[in-house]
Amino acid sequence: ALKRLTWIDNRIPSDEQADLLIKSIIDNWSINTLTLDNCFNLSGVNGCRALAALMTCGRPFDLLDFRGNGLSGIDDVAAALATNPQLKELWINDNEINDRDAELIAQALK
């Protein structure tokens, strides 16, 4: 069974298509490592919403890699991080995270 899904530089053109992809990933319990790099920062597609959905779906992931997706205003992601102790690694570098976002993440990790 597929354990790792890597999707790099394949732009997701709409929130509806992002929702379909995220639902498929959530429904496939064998996937525990997910890389979605440089996929969401096109046409206002909400990468934060997709990442928060994965983090709150109730299933374990070892790694969620969301590098280069233009993430900013990550309130939902920080809240999800605070309630997801089974997540081993979260990669969110090369995004548009500001000082407030960094503070929210720091609070979530306490």
Side-chain angles (χ1 to χ4, degrees), residues 10-25:
N10 293 303
R11 302 298 176 110
I12 300 169
S14 69
D15 282 330
E16 293 77 23
Q17 289 184 346
D19 291 345
L20 289 172
L21 176 61
I22 297 305
K23 182 182 180 331
S24 296
I25 293 165

Side-chain angles (χ1 to χ4, degrees), residues 6-60:
T6 301
W7 185 289
I8 298 174
D9 293 330
N10 293 303
R11 302 298 176 110
I12 300 169
S14 69
D15 282 330
E16 293 77 23
Q17 289 184 346
D19 291 345
L20 289 172
L21 176 61
I22 297 305
K23 182 182 180 331
S24 296
I25 293 165
I26 290 169
D27 290 346
N28 185 335
W29 277 72
S30 65
I31 297 172
N32 61 14
T33 299
L34 177 63
T35 298
L36 294 174
D37 291 356
N38 198 29
C39 301
F40 291 99
N41 55 356
L42 177 72
S43 304
V45 178
N46 192 338
C48 288
R49 183 175 92 174
L51 179 54
L54 288 164
M55 294 174 72
T56 58
C57 71
R59 51 166 297 220

